Amino acid sequence: MPGYVWSSVQDAPVNELFPGIRQRPLWNGDNGAHAQVLEMDPNTCWQGVDVHEPGPEEVFVVSGVFNDGHRDYPPGSFIHAPAGSSHVPQTTTGCTLFVFYPEG
């Protein structure tokens, strides 16, 4: 189909953001929008505060349990974090997240 873009997590490059936290970019749009998979090993925590700028962040928990510094989100959870909000991503069990930035 014209305009379709396809990618596979297994084929995506792996970028280690912090020890035990890996990013796999899946798609980049012309307007700064992008999608990625974030893999977090058990007992890992984002270094510092993750601020959602310039736009919102949308997260779907694929597996494991994700914690934003305030509460746990089990598999199947969807989180919309508006622009300007922040959190400290972490997990005790390990987790895999699909993360979408509609505005960059």
Side-chain angles (χ1 to χ4, degrees), residues 68-91:
D68 63 2
H70 299 285
R71 62 166 289 178
D72 286 334
Y73 298 91
S77 297
F78 173 78
I79 306 153
H80 171 82
S85 64
S86 63
H87 62 159
V88 180
Q90 55 198 284
T91 181

Side-chain angles (χ1 to χ4, degrees), residues 54-70:
E57 174 185 79
E58 297 179 340
V59 176
F60 180 79
V61 181
V62 176
S63 65
V65 178
F66 172 71
N67 183 288
D68 63 2
H70 299 285

Side-chain angles (χ1 to χ4, degrees), residues 27-104:
W27 171 80
N28 289 304
D30 293 335
N31 64 351
H34 58 284
Q36 64 186 22
V37 166
L38 194 70
E39 301 166 334
M40 299 179 69
D41 291 343
N43 300 309
T44 55
C45 184
W46 197 265
Q47 294 178 4
V49 176
D50 181 26
V51 179
H52 308 115
E53 300 259 338
E57 174 185 79
E58 297 179 340
V59 176
F60 180 79
V61 181
V62 176
S63 65
V65 178
F66 172 71
N67 183 288
D68 63 2
H70 299 285
R71 62 166 289 178
D72 286 334
Y73 298 91
S77 297
F78 173 78
I79 306 153
H80 171 82
S85 64
S86 63
H87 62 159
V88 180
Q90 55 198 284
T91 181
T92 56
T93 63
C95 62
T96 299
L97 312 172
F98 173 77
V99 185
F100 180 63
Y101 299 93
E103 299 175 25

